[in-house]
Amino acid sequence: MKLAIDIAKTHLLAKPKQTLVAMMGVTFGIGMFIAMVSLMTGLNDFTEEITMKTSPDIRIYHDVTEAGGSIIESINPNGINVLHHPKPKRESPKVRNALMIADLLRKDERVIGAAPQVSSQVFYNYGPVQLNGTISGVDILEEDKLFRISENMKAGKVEDLNTSNDGIIMGSGLARKLSVHTGDRVLITTPEGVTMNLKVVGIFQMGIGTFDNVRSYANLGTVQRILGKDQSYVTDINLKLYDLNSAKEVAKEYQATFGYKAEDWQTANATFLTGVIIRNILTYSVSITLLVVAGFGIYNILNMTIYNKMKDIAILKAMGFAGFDVRNIFMIQSMVIGLLGSLMGLLIGFLLASLIAQAPFDGGDVVSLDHMPVNFKLQYYIIGIVFGVSTTAFAGYLPSRKAAKVDPIEIIRGQ
């Protein structure tokens, strides 16, 4: 084996430019793989994080949009046929016994927290500015357990809402568009025409424009008064689970138990999850293609090396080298090219990912983002080097097998 290594080393150093070109093919493939997968998975993790920051794992509510039964319930030619008027009836979105249901859910060992909520579309009025948005009446401390609002406060504290009967905590985008600050008062108008003057006691920024630009929080009782409802009026119960991936099964269980619609986060964010899958497929497809192209380059270089070294192979076989020994020589060359090229690719990929992470990026009103999110997980570097070495090993196997089958007699005769 030592002799095979020495011969392989001689072949690699005999034509350093050719060897370097082969290594650079692997280096480029691995480097681009690391850079692309780091960026794309970083973006996916970031979007998933901000999405989960603003959406519950399970939302329990009364779905008034569900289709009713058939207009004709039964057809009995010999009796009375029961008919229903096709016009949909007006249903209340109230969840009955919501506070009791929330208490029961909090006792479930799978649940981190359960927060009752009353939501309504409103108009925010401050001077001449009027904006459409939503206001959510919550127990702010329970809501903070679920969505960590306190960690995202830009002004004021979540506790300030509990000490104010007419307070409101507003999203940063909404506050900026209204040009309001803590201490200012905003006029809230519901679609039914009810108005209430509320004091801004805090401003939060969750990092996603579709949330920060429209959402505000008030006490549960405050929103119930705005809507003219009693203290038992609750439209939603938001849940956070210890095991995020069990949400779909748990939601089915709760829906069967309580008789209300229980929507899990995977169903609510199906479009987002589809986009993540598509981005991952594209990332890995392009990256693997780069590595395969690099493998073809190594195959061609080793093939040409074998063609140029036919006489050397014949002499080695005439000296007693078996086909297995000759194959080892060229396999060693491909493995060295693959290993060194992969290590250089990992380094270049890390440097590219670091440069991307430092590049400034303005998320504007869409997301709160200053720099591109990049993922530096070790598993991607392991995948890169394993795939790089495997590709070059396979690319080197075919030419090395060809070298092992060379007939020294025909080469020496010049045939």
Side-chain angles (χ1 to χ4, degrees), residues 262-384:
E263 185 178 61
D264 61 277
W265 70 275
Q266 293 167 309
T267 301
N269 299 288
T271 303
F272 160 73
L273 293 175
T274 301
V276 171
I277 294 172
I278 292 174
R279 285 195 296 271
N280 284 335
I281 291 174
L282 291 175
T283 300
Y284 283 100
S285 297
V286 173
S287 302
I288 290 173
T289 300
L290 291 172
L291 296 178
V292 171
V293 170
F296 277 114
I298 294 171
Y299 170 81
N300 289 331
I301 288 174
L302 289 178
N303 219 16
M304 290 300 298
T305 301
I306 290 170
Y307 179 79
N308 294 328
K309 299 292 183 182
M310 283 295 186
K311 292 185 178 180
D312 294 349
I313 295 171
I315 293 172
L316 290 174
K317 282 200 164 186
M319 293 172 61
F321 277 70
F324 177 81
D325 299 319
V326 174
R327 186 171 65 225
N328 279 347
I329 293 172
F330 291 97
M331 279 298 295
I332 290 170
Q333 293 182 53
S334 65
M335 293 298 291
V336 169
I337 291 173
L339 182 59
L340 294 180
S342 297
L343 291 174
M344 292 169 59
L346 294 182
L347 178 60
I348 290 177
F350 176 79
L351 294 175
L352 286 174
S354 299
L355 290 174
I356 294 173
Q358 295 174 11
F361 180 82
D362 183 12
D365 292 335
V366 181
V367 292
S368 177
L369 189 62
D370 298 326
H371 297 81
M372 295 296 291
V374 177
N375 201 333
F376 290 96
K377 288 184 179 179
L378 180 62
Q379 67 187 69
Y380 302 124
Y381 292 82
I382 295 175
I383 292 173

Side-chain angles (χ1 to χ4, degrees), residues 55-120:
S55 63
D57 294 349
I58 297 176
R59 175 188 170 216
I60 298 176
Y61 64 102
H62 182 196
D63 189 2
V64 297
T65 63
E66 285 187 344
S70 173
I71 295 177
I72 302 178
E73 279 192 357
S74 62
I75 299 177
N76 185 359
N78 300 321
I80 298 175
N81 293 317
V82 180
L83 303 178
H84 287 288
H85 197 284
K87 183 179 179 179
K89 63 180 181 180
R90 183 179 179 87
E91 292 188 62
S92 170
K94 176 182 178 179
V95 176
R96 298 183 182 276
N97 301 316
L99 299 180
M100 184 184 70
I101 293 174
D103 288 335
L104 291 174
L105 293 172
R106 292 187 191 107
K107 296 176 182 179
D108 193 329
E109 295 180 351
R110 298 168 294 183
V111 176
I112 296 176
Q117 177 177 287
V118 178
S119 296
S120 175

Side-chain angles (χ1 to χ4, degrees), residues 118-124 134-137 165-168 186-199 216-230 233:
V118 178
S119 296
S120 175
Q121 294 287 328
V122 294
F123 291 101
Y124 297 96
T134 60
I135 186 169
S136 298
N165 291 327
D166 61 349
I168 185 173
V186 177
L187 187 67
I188 303 296
T189 305
T190 68
E192 289 77 17
V194 179
T195 62
M196 180 174 286
N197 202 304
L198 300 179
K199 180 182 178 181
S216 65
Y217 290 108
N219 287 322
L220 191 62
T222 301
V223 179
Q224 288 169 343
R225 289 198 307 273
I226 294 174
L227 298 177
K229 303 295 183 179
D230 58 66
Y233 185 80

